[in-house]
Structure formats: structure tokens, C-alpha cells
Amino acid sequence: MAITINQIAQLCGVSRGTVDRALHNKGNVRPEIAARIREVAAEYGYTPNRAGLALSRASHPIKIGVVLHSVQTPFIQLVLDACRREASNLSVFSTDVIFRLSRSLDPLEQVSMIEDLVEQHNISGLAVMPLHSMLVENKINELVEQRQLPVVTLNTDLPNSRRLCYIGQDNYAAGRTAAELMRLVTGGKGIISPIIGPSEYHLAYSERLAGFQSEIAQIAPDIHVQPTHIAEDENECARQATLALLRGCPDLSGIYAITPGYEGVCRAILETGNAHRVHLILHDEIPANLRHVRDGLADFLLGQDAEMQGSLPLTLLCDYIQLRRRPKKNNYFTDIRILLRHNIASLM
Amino acid sequence: MAITINQIAQLCGVSRGTVDRALHNKGNVRPEIAARIREVAAEYGYTPNRAGLALSRASHPIKIGVVLHSVQTPFIQLVLDACRREASNLSVFSTDVIFRLSRSLDPLEQVSMIEDLVEQHNISGLAVMPLHSMLVENKINELVEQRQLPVVTLNTDLPNSRRLCYIGQDNYAAGRTAAELMRLVTGGKGIISPIIGPSEYHLAYSERLAGFQSEIAQIAPDIHVQPTHIAEDENECARQATLALLRGCPDLSGIYAITPGYEGVCRAILETGNAHRVHLILHDEIPANLRHVRDGLADFLLGQDAEMQGSLPLTLLCDYIQLRRRPKKNNYFTDIRILLRHNIASLM
DNA sequence: TTGAAAGCGATACCAA
DNA sequence: TTGGTATCGCTTTCAA
């Protein structure tokens, strides 16, 4: 059993209250006594008991804000689910989580959501899936610098901001992985079209495409890459674009579906009836996509760990706020999961 | 905030002690009052507050036993690390974990380790990586039936025992996945040799081989599978066997290394100098194997989630013991991870 | 059969 | 600048 605040008090011949004040630098302790207390605490490796901490906080829970966008997409739904689950675990530690969810890609809206959490709800930490905009970046930096609020980014990063850390995929590496898999199934030749939705505010998407293109150029110079851009990452839009693509390019060897709208892509392939010719690699480990892999329409699925993207940000913030424990890493890259017909049974 | 035992007491007009006795069936409560208390608890969805639970238990921690074998192998080391980490998290819940580790494959020793934990240490739950032996199976059943002790299996299962659940890979599916990958890289023809250590007491190993063989037969009938059995899952033994294999079969297309001894296999391939001809698929996400993938010696690595295999058994046991919450699933299959050069950067 | 009280570890607040 | 006390939710023990 670790040492407790009571034992430190006894060892130093003072009361618990004094120890508490000394360890939290609240003043009102004679400097030499404070020093002695901190010394003893360090010597015995004092760590506050979390059950005690939680219980004493029961009437004044800590609040953590979560800001997500694109919540209508199935993958972000999974992240949100994981986040809610972890939130209910954290209620054990007397920590409340407040959600602000958006379906749009509007940086102004995101900034105002953050402001609302800070001003109205007095949060002690923020987990955000940031839009790729200076407005958001500046707001994050302001929170960190002027309010000492810990901020973590999830799913998509703003690497130049002053966030504590990032939890999510290395999207560039995911794109490179897709390239290698495409080389394997096509034999390294033919025309491939990545299909990508609007990526202006969504760094993750453009990184996947860049990784794919750069890797194909290196390992399969005989593959011709011809991106298809769609106006919205949504099924009908994706379907129309895929239909046009398949008709315009009958000898297409492969499609790399980078952004949501997967159902639209799959329907278009089925409708044009060349399911057996076009190789297909999809992102996002959602039930519908798993079914397409099982049924043989898609060769591979690239998954990312929704569970970890939802839970780890809250865990890290909670540790930071309660125990002042800084995250060990700057980037917590989640797995780049490769799923095919043979290893998805336990996920369905 | 969930309802507390105090609030239930007030609602029912009795004291906390009475509520406690009623909810835990400790007797000494008038039946009609007990019924009323349980009714109110159910109505308001009472769940004990874990911080309170933990704190009150601080002086009498719950004890959980962990029994592992093959601890000298690098993968089990990772499982053990994860297990230790989770154990230190659980100390928050006033739960102590006692380890019994073995390097051998002796069922008698495993049984006596379990007995020691039960008799001498009075554990309230057991997580075990079981040997494939009736001795172990009977012992597990005895604990469950005669002592109502919850038992979970990890890494390797005894599906016919009365364990609460299994946490680990679906090894048969892992073997099938290896088969598909081998088909991809070899083009579906040639001679392939799975290399496998002693699997008499180690169900996981024989399942991988069976899965591999059955799937190859289905999807790549032109591949000839020719297993190599080695006497010990250890490097020098594996090296000798691999050298003999490569010399005896110069046109070998692929090796599927199923059990530890990977370093030996890799050294043998490098020594005979045909690193560029033989395709290689390895199990186990350990640092040395990751390096072989990075360096191009191995085509694929099949990983399993050591983290989850170490932590989930303890979490589930703790929930079961403290909250009487039964695991939701009979099998918690961990990911069958496919790793190649492009998606391992974040793991190294 | 029931209730009251102490204790677990930490924090907050009031009184000295 | 300090110490004492109440509080959080639950279990355990002792007394009525």
C-alpha cells in the first residue's frame, strides 16, 4: 500500500490540512515545514489515492469538454460511443464530460462551441477533433497560454498548436499502407482512382491521399493514380462520382475510398456490374464496410481504433487534471488495422 | 449522479446498515422490508459507487491470482507487462494481484500453483493461461463448482472447462489469415513449410497450424504444405530445423513461423543467403520481429493484442467480484493484426 | 432484527 | 500559520 496523506502528517508531526496545503502549494505553511513535507512525500513516493480523491470531489465534479465535428459519419459515431463509455467510467472519479457535437465543417461554429464550454461550463480540460483552420488553432493556443487549460486533439491533429498531445491515426502512413496493399492485389499495374471528399478543413483526408500517391510513385511506378474529388463525403454524391468514373474509365483496376460515402461507392460498383474486376480498398471499420469485405466486394479495409480515439483523450486529461501527470507521448498513433475476409469474424 | 445507499435508506425509512444487509442478502432484515429495499434499488437503478467501495475495502483488499506459463517467451513478457500495469491500476480499487509464473509446460506444476493461490492466499478470482491438460481442466472446474471462484482463461483457452470467459486470439482464424496472405505473396503456388514447436500442451499452436492447412486447401490448392516440427520453441532448435529445411528443399516458396524461435528461423534464412526468395510470415508482435518486417526479411507479421490479453482478464474479474457483473461475452477475441513494412512505424 | 458509529483517503472550510 | 471537523459512499462491527 502506498503512503497516505495521514501518514505523512504523522511523520512530520503536523495535521493533514497542513500537508494538503504544502503539497498543493496553497500557501499558509511555514517554508521549512513545507519543504520537509515535500521531502517526505517524495521519499516515500506519495501518490494521491484516487478513490479518496474521487470521493472527496463527489459534490464538485471536475468537468471535461469534448468537441467533435462530422458526427453524422458512422466512424465518428463509433468514436462518440467509446467516448460516452469512457465518460461513464470516469464518473467513478467524479468527472463529468460535456459534449458539443456538430455535423458541419464550420470553424466559426467550432470556436464558439469551445468558448461556450470554457465560459459557461468552466471546464478543466478539452478534447477536440479540430478543424484545419487558424481560427481553431488560435483558440486552442489561447486556452493553453492564458488559462492553462489542457487540450488534446483526437482523430485529426493540429500539429502546430500548443495542444498537449494527439490521439489518432498517422493518416499519411495509412495512405502508404493502402498503396502497398493496392500494389499487392493489382500486381503493380493499371489505373487506380482514390475517391476523396472535401478536405479543406479536414487534414486527415488530404494526408491519406498524399501518403498513397507518394508511396505508389515509389513502389509501383507502373500504376497510374487518378484522383476523383467529390463535393461532399456522403453516399449519393459518392455514388454519382463513382458511376461516372467507372463509365469513363472501363479498364479501371482499383478504387481507394478515402472518405465517408463508402456505401455510395459500393452501390455504384454493384450497379455497373464489374464487381469482379475493380479492386477496392476502403477506410473505416464500420459494420457496412465489414460486410463488404466479408462478401468479397472490398479487398481490404483500413481500420483505426475508434475505441482508443474515444477513450484515451479523456483518460489522459483526467490523469493530467487530477494527478498533474503529463502524457508520455506527443502523438498517440492508433493502429493502422488491415482487415480482410479472414480476420474480421470477431468484429462483426 | 446515481442514487446512493444513503438515499435508499431515507426513501425506505431505515438505516444504511439495513439497506446494506438487504442488498447483499446477509439476512437479519424483515422480509417485507428487504423486498421493499430491493424494489427501490431496482427502480432507481442503484449501482454501488466504486470509489466508496474501494475506500471501504482499503484495509482488506481483494486478491486475484494470475498464473502464466512460457514466461520466457517475448510475447508472454508483453502480456505480463500489461498485466502488471493493469494490476497497479486496480490497486485504486483496493485489489491486489498475485502472480505465479512458470517457464515450463508441466500441468502438475500449474495445478499446484493454482492450489497454492487458493489455499494459501485465499484469492477471490483467477486468471490463467491454461495448459491443454485434463488435470488443469478438472482443477478449474473444481474451483468454479466447489468454491464459486470465477476463473478466466487468457491467451490459450480450455473451451470445455467451466471458465467464465476466454480472452485471446482466435488462433484458428489467425492461421487462416496467414494462409490468405501467403497466397497473396506467392501467387498461390509452390511449397510452403509451417514451422511449429511442441504443441501437445499448447492448444493455440496446433490451432494455428490447422487453420492454415485447411484454408490453403480451400483457396490455393496448388500450394503444397509441408510442416516442419521442432522439438522446442526456442531459437537454436528452430535455426537447425530451418537450415535443414532450406537445404533439403531449395525451391521452397514460403515459411510460416508459428511458434517462438523466430530469431532462429530468421538467422537460418540469412545464413543460407536466400532471403530474397523465401516468403516469410511470422507470429508475435515483438521488437525483433518488427525489425525483420521493417528490414524486408519477413513479408508479414501476425500480431495479437498483448495489452488486452494482460489487462482485460483482471478488469473482468474485478468487475465480477466487486459488482457481480458477469462478462458479456464467452469469448473476447483479440484482434488478428496484420503488420507489414508500412504500418509498423508507430509500434517500434 | 435494527441502528449507530467508526474508518477508508482526500479536500474544504472554519476557528483558533 | 495551523489544526480540527465535516463530507463523499460503502462496509463492518458493536450495541440495543
Side-chain angles (χ1 to χ4, degrees), chain B residues 35-247:
Chain B
R36 167 107 185 91
I37 288 173
R38 275 193 283 270
E39 200 176 289
V40 171
E43 183 186 343
Y44 288 87
Y46 170 74
T47 316
N49 176 301
R50 298 196 71 160
L53 251 179
L55 216 41
S56 79
R57 238 174 233 174
S59 37
H60 300 289
I62 284 176
K63 283 182 243 166
I64 293 179
V66 172
V67 175
L68 302 178
H69 65 79
S70 303
V71 291
Q72 75 282 11
T73 62
F75 179 74
I76 301 302
Q77 284 289 337
L78 295 180
V79 174
L80 182 56
D81 288 349
C83 213
R84 292 218 167 99
R85 255 194 305 281
E86 182 63 12
S88 91
N89 286 339
L90 289 185
S91 70
V92 173
F93 297 122
S94 305
T95 302
D96 288 350
V97 178
I98 310 174
F99 291 91
R100 286 292 174 272
L101 308 177
S102 161
R103 306 166 72 90
S104 77
L105 296 176
D106 176 3
L108 276 173
E109 186 196 19
Q110 184 162 76
V111 167
S112 84
M113 282 179 164
I114 296 175
E115 277 169 353
D116 173 59
L117 286 170
V118 175
E119 314 283 349
Q120 306 303 319
H121 293 274
N122 194 30
I123 54 171
S124 307
L126 174 70
V128 58
M129 176 183 171
L131 290 165
H132 188 219
S133 152
M134 281 312 290
L135 287 174
V136 177
E137 188 163 326
N138 290 337
K139 176 49 77 177
I140 289 176
N141 290 344
E142 180 196 319
L143 298 188
V144 175
E145 286 158 16
Q146 288 171 29
R147 306 204 184 223
Q148 277 81 35
L149 265 193
V151 177
V152 308
T153 51
L154 68 106
N155 185 265
T156 319
D157 195 15
L158 283 180
N160 298 322
S161 71
R162 301 205 47 200
R163 89 282 186 287
L164 211 51
C165 64
Y166 163 66
I167 297 103
Q169 205 165 45
D170 178 344
N171 284 285
Y172 191 83
R176 291 183 54 220
T177 305
E180 166 70 359
L181 295 174
M182 198 57 101
R183 183 188 70 81
L184 265 177
V185 291
T186 59
K189 50 185 184 296
I191 302 172
I192 311 287
S193 183
I195 300 185
I196 181 166
S199 54
E200 185 189 1
Y201 292 128
H202 212 322
L203 195 55
Y205 295 168
S206 42
E207 286 179 340
R208 286 178 189 168
L209 178 58
F212 185 79
Q213 289 177 312
S214 115
E215 186 69 13
I216 285 286
Q218 272 200 22
I219 62 174
D222 292 342
I223 288 183
H224 176 68
V225 177
Q226 171 194 307
T228 302
H229 292 271
I230 57 180
E232 271 188 85
D233 52 354
E234 166 278 328
N235 288 330
E236 189 45 32
C237 202
R239 177 171 156 271
Q240 297 294 347
T242 310
L243 282 174
L245 171 68
L246 290 169
R247 285 177 188 143

Side-chain angles (χ1 to χ4, degrees), chain A residues 73 105 193-202 205 209 226-246 255-266 268:
Chain A
T73 62
L105 295 174
S193 184
I195 300 186
I196 181 166
S199 54
E200 184 189 1
Y201 292 128
H202 212 322
Y205 295 168
L209 178 58
Q226 171 194 309
T228 303
H229 292 270
I230 57 179
E232 271 188 86
D233 49 356
E234 166 278 329
N235 287 329
E236 189 45 32
C237 202
R239 177 171 157 271
Q240 297 294 346
T242 309
L243 282 175
L245 172 68
L246 290 169
I255 290 178
Y256 170 37
I258 295 184
T259 55
Y262 310 108
E263 272 313 289
V265 173
C266 290

Side-chain angles (χ1 to χ4, degrees), chain A residues 40-75:
Chain A
V40 171
E43 184 186 342
Y44 288 87
Y46 169 74
T47 318
N49 177 302
R50 300 196 69 160
L53 251 178
L55 214 44
S56 77
R57 257 196 244 284
S59 37
H60 300 289
I62 284 176
K63 284 182 240 164
I64 293 179
V66 172
V67 175
L68 302 178
H69 65 80
S70 302
V71 291
Q72 76 281 12
T73 62
F75 179 74

Side-chain angles (χ1 to χ4, degrees), chain A residues 331-345:
Chain A
N331 292 303
Y332 288 82
F333 287 128
T334 53
D335 294 347
I336 298 169
R337 290 196 192 151
I338 300 175
L339 302 175
L340 38 76
R341 221 176 69 227
H342 299 73
N343 69 339
I344 57 171

Side-chain angles (χ1 to χ4, degrees), chain B residues 15-16 18 21 28-30 55:
Chain B
S15 77
R16 306 208 295 272
T18 309
R21 269 167 282 144
N28 285 334
V29 184
R30 269 212 336 265
L55 216 41

